[in-house]
Amino acid sequence: MFQNKIILIAILIGLAVRVNGVSGQATNFSIASEHHIVNIAIDKKEARVVQIAADMLASDILNVSGKKPEISSVIKEMGIVAGTIGESRLIDQFISNKNLDVSQVKGKWETYSLQVIANPDNKQGKILLIAGSDRRATAFGLLEISRMIGVSPWEWWADVIPEEKENLTIAVENRIYGSPSVKYRGIFLNDEDWGLQRWAALNYEPETGDIGPKTYAKVFELLLRLRANTIWPAMHSCTKPFYFYPENKQVADDYAIVVGTSHCEPMLCNINAEWDSDKMGEWRYDSNSEASSICLNPEQRKAPVLKVFTPWVCVENMIRR
């Protein structure tokens, strides 16, 4: 299968996560055995990215153990319960019942905790609690379990096949994974002409013949597994601008990915593809503000997705003529 994919050339920025409050004592938690498979419980109202991460974890457990967990909003005897503080009825219930202390998690940026407790309703069972300060944090917490069972973040892109284990048990320390030292970090898809664009167009996404929502979804999966949160999209002339496909911005929001803009995309305008110098004149706001404003807030960019603007640069060698 490797030959049908590519090796993604990327810049990964500051993916380290601070770890605080380690208990020093690990608790064994059974994920799967010959007669058992864990349940994953998330609130029905959780953000889409949490649902996606739960699905990814369930598939990872299947690939390792041969058994796939059920995902529901019901807490079972032995289960993983994940939720965003203030958004998840399940997690908020543990907090209100004094079974979970989130004082060092609540209100923080991309911070989550892992903790194993006795099941309050069945002392013979155990609950692995994942409490996130925001939607991305909860997703990161779920995918931390994937790491713990031996699944590489590169399992799809680089065909890293995890070791199979019929009896799958992890040692969990009660700990808090604090806010990353770099707030916005991720991948810039640059020089895609020779690799990603051609591979996507001919192999993975022939329906668009381009890097479109299907390809971006797999890139965003990688970002979540790497605890990253930002994409600087492909922007060479061989690729249609990110906002050309309406589905791209929806997929970005589903995966809680911030959309950045590179040196060729000032103010969300891809000047390789969306700016015609012959018809629109020079790309510079100081002398051509009326035409340049066309790219500032076009209708197609309106979406519930976080964006990072690259400021206008009026330096001679940065102007597209």
Side-chain angles (χ1 to χ4, degrees):
M1 187 166 62
F2 177 79
Q3 61 268 29
N4 294 327
K5 298 181 183 175
I6 66 164
I7 298 175
L8 183 66
I9 305 300
I11 300 175
L12 302 179
I13 306 173
L15 301 184
V17 173
R18 295 172 181 166
V19 180
N20 308 316
V22 179
S23 68
Q25 185 173 0
T27 301
N28 288 333
F29 184 80
S30 176
I31 300 288
S33 64
E34 183 179 357
H35 303 294
H36 157 76
I37 182 65
V38 77
N39 167 261
I40 301 174
I42 61 172
D43 195 290
K44 292 179 180 179
K45 296 182 179 180
E46 271 288 2
R48 178 69 182 130
V49 68
V50 176
Q51 300 172 24
I52 289 171
D55 288 336
M56 291 168 65
L57 174 58
S59 295
D60 291 343
I61 293 173
L62 172 64
N63 290 336
V64 174
S65 71
K67 297 183 176 68
K68 188 169 185 177
E70 176 189 3
I71 301 174
S72 71
S73 59
V74 179
I75 300 174
K76 301 292 180 68
E77 178 183 348
M78 292 285 291
I80 298 171
V81 180
T84 306
I85 300 166
E87 302 292 334
S88 168
R89 173 185 56 83
L90 303 179
I91 286 296
D92 289 350
Q93 180 179 334
F94 282 100
I95 296 171
S96 62
N97 291 339
K98 309 298 183 183
N99 298 124
L100 178 62
D101 179 7
V102 295
S103 58
Q104 297 184 61
V105 177
K106 186 177 180 179
K108 303 291 182 63
W109 173 266
E110 294 180 1
T111 297
Y112 59 93
S113 65
L114 299 185
Q115 180 177 339
V116 176
I117 67 169
N119 189 327
D121 299 322
N122 186 334
K123 297 301 182 181
Q124 301 301 313
K126 293 179 181 178
I127 299 293
L128 171 52
L129 293 174
I130 302 170
S133 62
D134 51 43
R135 58 178 179 162
R136 265 193 298 271
T138 305
F140 292 162
L142 282 160
L143 294 173
E144 185 66 26
I145 307 304
S146 291
R147 287 172 175 261
M148 295 172 75
I149 66 174
V151 176
S152 166
W154 296 90
E155 54 86 33
W156 192 84
W157 282 98
D159 295 307
V160 182
I161 300 173
E163 178 185 353
E164 295 182 7
K165 301 174 184 177
E166 183 178 4
N167 294 308
L168 185 57
T169 299
I170 57 175
V172 181
E173 293 179 324
N174 295 346
R175 63 169 59 183
I176 295 169
Y177 295 75
S179 300
S181 56
V182 177
K183 191 167 188 177
Y184 297 105
R185 58 215 181 273
I187 293 175
F188 174 22
L189 299 178
N190 195 13
D191 296 327
E192 73 274 14
D193 316 49
W194 60 269
L196 183 59
Q197 201 284 336
R198 182 173 175 80
W199 169 82
L202 297 178
N203 296 283
Y204 191 65
E205 199 168 353
E207 61 270 25
T208 63
D210 204 357
I211 301 173
K214 184 178 176 182
T215 304
Y216 274 115
K218 298 306 292 187
V219 174
F220 296 162
E221 281 188 14
L222 174 64
L223 290 176
L224 291 181
R225 289 185 184 277
L226 290 170
R227 305 192 196 103
N229 61 12
T230 307
I231 184 72
W232 287 265
M235 47 73 208
H236 277 204
S237 56
C238 64
T239 307
K240 289 184 174 61
F242 182 81
Y243 293 100
F244 177 84
Y245 301 105
E247 298 88 350
N248 281 351
K249 55 192 176 185
Q250 185 58 56
V251 171
D253 188 58
D254 287 346
Y255 283 80
I257 298 300
V258 178
V259 180
T261 50
S262 63
H263 56 293
C264 291
E265 299 173 300
M267 305 306 289
L268 300 185
C269 181
N270 184 320
I271 59 175
N272 282 327
E274 296 177 304
W275 187 266
D276 187 335
S277 298
D278 293 334
K279 296 179 180 179
M280 303 168 75
E282 287 188 318
W283 173 259
R284 52 186 301 163
Y285 192 76
D286 59 346
S287 61
N288 192 19
S289 60
E290 183 176 353
S292 300
S293 296
I294 295 172
C295 270
L296 279 176
N297 290 297
E299 189 69 25
Q300 65 182 6
R301 288 167 177 74
K302 292 182 180 179
V305 58
L306 292 172
K307 311 175 189 72
V308 176
F309 285 77
T310 297
W312 230 289
V313 181
C314 289
V315 179
E316 187 68 20
N317 64 359
M318 291 293 289
I319 297 174
R320 178 177 172 83
R321 296 186 179 277

Short mmCIF file of all heavy atoms in Angstrom, two decimals, residues 70-104:
data_model
loop_
_atom_site.label_atom_id
_atom_site.label_comp_id
_atom_site.label_asym_id
_atom_site.label_seq_id
_atom_site.Cartn_x
_atom_site.Cartn_y
_atom_site.Cartn_z
N GLU A 70 -17.44 -0.20 21.16
CA GLU A 70 -18.67 0.53 20.88
C GLU A 70 -18.49 1.97 21.35
O GLU A 70 -17.91 2.23 22.40
CB GLU A 70 -19.84 -0.12 21.62
CG GLU A 70 -21.15 0.63 21.47
CD GLU A 70 -22.24 0.09 22.38
OE1 GLU A 70 -21.95 -0.83 23.17
OE2 GLU A 70 -23.37 0.62 22.31
N ILE A 71 -18.99 2.91 20.56
CA ILE A 71 -18.99 4.31 20.95
C ILE A 71 -20.43 4.71 21.24
O ILE A 71 -21.32 4.55 20.40
CB ILE A 71 -18.42 5.21 19.84
CG1 ILE A 71 -16.98 4.81 19.51
CG2 ILE A 71 -18.46 6.68 20.27
CD1 ILE A 71 -16.39 5.55 18.33
N SER A 72 -20.67 5.20 22.45
CA SER A 72 -22.03 5.58 22.83
C SER A 72 -21.97 6.69 23.86
O SER A 72 -20.89 7.17 24.21
CB SER A 72 -22.78 4.36 23.39
OG SER A 72 -22.27 4.02 24.67
N SER A 73 -23.12 7.09 24.34
CA SER A 73 -23.18 8.09 25.41
C SER A 73 -23.48 7.43 26.75
O SER A 73 -23.81 8.11 27.72
CB SER A 73 -24.26 9.13 25.09
OG SER A 73 -25.53 8.51 24.94
N VAL A 74 -23.34 6.11 26.80
CA VAL A 74 -23.62 5.34 28.01
C VAL A 74 -22.32 4.85 28.63
O VAL A 74 -21.47 4.29 27.94
CB VAL A 74 -24.54 4.14 27.70
CG1 VAL A 74 -24.81 3.33 28.97
CG2 VAL A 74 -25.85 4.61 27.08
N ILE A 75 -22.16 5.06 29.93
CA ILE A 75 -20.97 4.60 30.64
C ILE A 75 -21.16 3.15 31.05
O ILE A 75 -22.13 2.80 31.73
CB ILE A 75 -20.71 5.48 31.89
CG1 ILE A 75 -20.50 6.94 31.47
CG2 ILE A 75 -19.51 4.97 32.66
CD1 ILE A 75 -20.40 7.90 32.64
N LYS A 76 -20.24 2.30 30.62
CA LYS A 76 -20.31 0.87 30.95
C LYS A 76 -19.41 0.56 32.15
O LYS A 76 -18.74 1.44 32.70
CB LYS A 76 -19.88 0.05 29.74
CG LYS A 76 -20.73 0.28 28.49
CD LYS A 76 -22.14 -0.26 28.67
CE LYS A 76 -23.00 -0.05 27.42
NZ LYS A 76 -22.57 -0.85 26.28
N GLU A 77 -19.39 -0.72 32.55
CA GLU A 77 -18.61 -1.13 33.72
C GLU A 77 -17.13 -0.79 33.56
O GLU A 77 -16.50 -0.25 34.46
CB GLU A 77 -18.78 -2.64 33.95
CG GLU A 77 -17.96 -3.17 35.12
CD GLU A 77 -18.08 -4.67 35.27
OE1 GLU A 77 -18.96 -5.27 34.63
OE2 GLU A 77 -17.29 -5.26 36.03
N MET A 78 -16.56 -1.16 32.41
CA MET A 78 -15.17 -0.82 32.08
C MET A 78 -15.21 0.07 30.86
O MET A 78 -15.62 -0.38 29.78
CB MET A 78 -14.36 -2.08 31.80
CG MET A 78 -14.13 -2.96 33.00
SD MET A 78 -12.88 -2.28 34.12
CE MET A 78 -11.41 -2.45 33.14
N GLY A 79 -14.83 1.31 31.01
CA GLY A 79 -14.98 2.19 29.86
C GLY A 79 -14.04 3.37 29.87
O GLY A 79 -13.45 3.74 30.89
N ILE A 80 -13.91 3.97 28.69
CA ILE A 80 -13.21 5.24 28.51
C ILE A 80 -14.29 6.31 28.40
O ILE A 80 -15.19 6.21 27.57
CB ILE A 80 -12.34 5.23 27.25
CG1 ILE A 80 -11.25 4.16 27.34
CG2 ILE A 80 -11.72 6.60 27.00
CD1 ILE A 80 -10.49 3.94 26.04
N VAL A 81 -14.21 7.31 29.24
CA VAL A 81 -15.17 8.42 29.20
C VAL A 81 -14.40 9.68 28.87
O VAL A 81 -13.48 10.07 29.60
CB VAL A 81 -15.91 8.58 30.54
CG1 VAL A 81 -16.89 9.75 30.45
CG2 VAL A 81 -16.64 7.30 30.91
N ALA A 82 -14.75 10.32 27.76
CA ALA A 82 -14.03 11.51 27.31
C ALA A 82 -15.01 12.65 27.10
O ALA A 82 -16.13 12.44 26.61
CB ALA A 82 -13.27 11.23 26.01
N GLY A 83 -14.58 13.85 27.48
CA GLY A 83 -15.47 14.98 27.27
C GLY A 83 -14.80 16.31 27.54
O GLY A 83 -13.76 16.39 28.20
N THR A 84 -15.42 17.35 27.01
CA THR A 84 -14.93 18.71 27.17
C THR A 84 -15.65 19.35 28.36
O THR A 84 -16.88 19.31 28.45
CB THR A 84 -15.21 19.52 25.89
OG1 THR A 84 -14.65 18.83 24.77
CG2 THR A 84 -14.59 20.91 25.99
N ILE A 85 -14.88 19.91 29.26
CA ILE A 85 -15.43 20.51 30.47
C ILE A 85 -16.44 21.60 30.10
O ILE A 85 -16.16 22.48 29.29
CB ILE A 85 -14.31 21.11 31.33
CG1 ILE A 85 -13.32 20.00 31.74
CG2 ILE A 85 -14.87 21.80 32.56
CD1 ILE A 85 -12.02 20.53 32.31
N GLY A 86 -17.62 21.51 30.68
CA GLY A 86 -18.67 22.48 30.39
C GLY A 86 -19.49 22.17 29.17
O GLY A 86 -20.53 22.79 28.94
N GLU A 87 -19.05 21.19 28.37
CA GLU A 87 -19.76 20.80 27.16
C GLU A 87 -20.26 19.36 27.23
O GLU A 87 -21.18 18.99 26.50
CB GLU A 87 -18.85 20.94 25.93
CG GLU A 87 -18.30 22.34 25.70
CD GLU A 87 -19.37 23.33 25.30
OE1 GLU A 87 -20.40 22.90 24.74
OE2 GLU A 87 -19.19 24.53 25.56
N SER A 88 -19.66 18.58 28.09
CA SER A 88 -19.99 17.16 28.20
C SER A 88 -20.76 16.88 29.48
O SER A 88 -20.26 17.10 30.59
CB SER A 88 -18.71 16.31 28.17
OG SER A 88 -18.98 14.97 28.54
N ARG A 89 -21.96 16.38 29.33
CA ARG A 89 -22.77 16.00 30.49
C ARG A 89 -22.07 14.91 31.29
O ARG A 89 -22.12 14.89 32.53
CB ARG A 89 -24.14 15.52 30.02
CG ARG A 89 -25.03 14.92 31.10
CD ARG A 89 -26.30 14.36 30.50
NE ARG A 89 -26.02 13.39 29.45
CZ ARG A 89 -25.76 12.10 29.68
NH1 ARG A 89 -25.70 11.64 30.92
NH2 ARG A 89 -25.55 11.28 28.67
N LEU A 90 -21.39 14.01 30.60
CA LEU A 90 -20.74 12.88 31.27
C LEU A 90 -19.60 13.35 32.17
O LEU A 90 -19.51 12.97 33.34
CB LEU A 90 -20.22 11.89 30.22
CG LEU A 90 -21.25 11.32 29.24
CD1 LEU A 90 -20.57 10.38 28.25
CD2 LEU A 90 -22.36 10.60 29.99
N ILE A 91 -18.72 14.18 31.61
CA ILE A 91 -17.58 14.68 32.39
C ILE A 91 -18.05 15.61 33.50
O ILE A 91 -17.56 15.55 34.64
CB ILE A 91 -16.57 15.39 31.47
CG1 ILE A 91 -15.80 14.36 30.63
CG2 ILE A 91 -15.60 16.25 32.27
CD1 ILE A 91 -14.93 13.42 31.44
N ASP A 92 -19.00 16.48 33.19
CA ASP A 92 -19.49 17.41 34.21
C ASP A 92 -20.13 16.68 35.39
O ASP A 92 -20.08 17.16 36.53
CB ASP A 92 -20.50 18.38 33.59
CG ASP A 92 -19.84 19.39 32.66
OD1 ASP A 92 -18.60 19.46 32.65
OD2 ASP A 92 -20.56 20.10 31.93
N GLN A 93 -20.69 15.51 35.12
CA GLN A 93 -21.28 14.71 36.20
C GLN A 93 -20.20 14.20 37.15
O GLN A 93 -20.37 14.24 38.38
CB GLN A 93 -22.05 13.53 35.60
CG GLN A 93 -22.71 12.62 36.63
CD GLN A 93 -23.47 11.48 35.97
OE1 GLN A 93 -23.92 11.59 34.84
NE2 GLN A 93 -23.60 10.38 36.69
N PHE A 94 -19.08 13.75 36.60
CA PHE A 94 -17.97 13.30 37.46
C PHE A 94 -17.41 14.46 38.27
O PHE A 94 -17.01 14.30 39.42
CB PHE A 94 -16.86 12.67 36.60
CG PHE A 94 -17.15 11.27 36.15
CD1 PHE A 94 -17.62 11.03 34.87
CD2 PHE A 94 -16.97 10.20 37.01
CE1 PHE A 94 -17.90 9.74 34.44
CE2 PHE A 94 -17.24 8.90 36.60
CZ PHE A 94 -17.70 8.67 35.31
N ILE A 95 -17.38 15.65 37.67
CA ILE A 95 -16.88 16.83 38.37
C ILE A 95 -17.81 17.20 39.52
O ILE A 95 -17.37 17.43 40.66
CB ILE A 95 -16.73 18.02 37.40
CG1 ILE A 95 -15.69 17.71 36.32
CG2 ILE A 95 -16.34 19.29 38.16
CD1 ILE A 95 -15.64 18.73 35.20
N SER A 96 -19.10 17.24 39.25
CA SER A 96 -20.07 17.64 40.28
C SER A 96 -20.14 16.63 41.42
O SER A 96 -20.42 17.00 42.57
CB SER A 96 -21.46 17.84 39.66
OG SER A 96 -21.93 16.62 39.10
N ASN A 97 -19.85 15.36 41.13
CA ASN A 97 -19.86 14.32 42.15
C ASN A 97 -18.53 14.19 42.88
O ASN A 97 -18.33 13.26 43.67
CB ASN A 97 -20.24 12.97 41.53
CG ASN A 97 -21.68 12.92 41.06
OD1 ASN A 97 -22.51 13.70 41.52
ND2 ASN A 97 -21.98 12.01 40.15
N LYS A 98 -17.61 15.11 42.60
CA LYS A 98 -16.29 15.15 43.26
C LYS A 98 -15.43 13.93 42.93
O LYS A 98 -14.52 13.57 43.68
CB LYS A 98 -16.45 15.24 44.80
CG LYS A 98 -17.37 16.34 45.28
CD LYS A 98 -16.87 17.72 44.89
CE LYS A 98 -17.77 18.82 45.46
NZ LYS A 98 -17.36 20.18 45.02
N ASN A 99 -15.69 13.31 41.78
CA ASN A 99 -14.86 12.19 41.33
C ASN A 99 -13.71 12.65 40.43
O ASN A 99 -12.83 11.86 40.11
CB ASN A 99 -15.70 11.17 40.55
CG ASN A 99 -16.78 10.54 41.39
OD1 ASN A 99 -17.96 10.59 41.03
ND2 ASN A 99 -16.40 9.94 42.51
N LEU A 100 -13.75 13.92 40.04
CA LEU A 100 -12.76 14.43 39.10
C LEU A 100 -12.44 15.88 39.42
O LEU A 100 -13.34 16.72 39.50
CB LEU A 100 -13.30 14.32 37.66
CG LEU A 100 -12.43 14.85 36.53
CD1 LEU A 100 -11.12 14.08 36.45
CD2 LEU A 100 -13.18 14.76 35.19
N ASP A 101 -11.16 16.16 39.62
CA ASP A 101 -10.69 17.52 39.90
C ASP A 101 -10.11 18.11 38.62
O ASP A 101 -9.12 17.60 38.09
CB ASP A 101 -9.63 17.49 41.00
CG ASP A 101 -9.08 18.88 41.33
OD1 ASP A 101 -9.62 19.88 40.81
OD2 ASP A 101 -8.10 18.95 42.10
N VAL A 102 -10.73 19.18 38.12
CA VAL A 102 -10.26 19.78 36.86
C VAL A 102 -9.77 21.21 37.09
O VAL A 102 -9.69 22.00 36.15
CB VAL A 102 -11.38 19.78 35.80
CG1 VAL A 102 -11.75 18.36 35.41
CG2 VAL A 102 -12.61 20.55 36.29
N SER A 103 -9.40 21.52 38.32
CA SER A 103 -8.99 22.89 38.64
C SER A 103 -7.75 23.33 37.86
O SER A 103 -7.56 24.52 37.61
CB SER A 103 -8.73 23.02 40.15
OG SER A 103 -7.73 22.10 40.58
N GLN A 104 -6.89 22.37 37.47
CA GLN A 104 -5.69 22.71 36.71
C GLN A 104 -5.88 22.54 35.20
O GLN A 104 -4.93 22.70 34.43
CB GLN A 104 -4.52 21.84 37.16
CG GLN A 104 -4.12 22.04 38.61
CD GLN A 104 -2.89 21.22 38.98
OE1 GLN A 104 -1.82 21.39 38.41
NE2 GLN A 104 -3.06 20.30 39.92
#
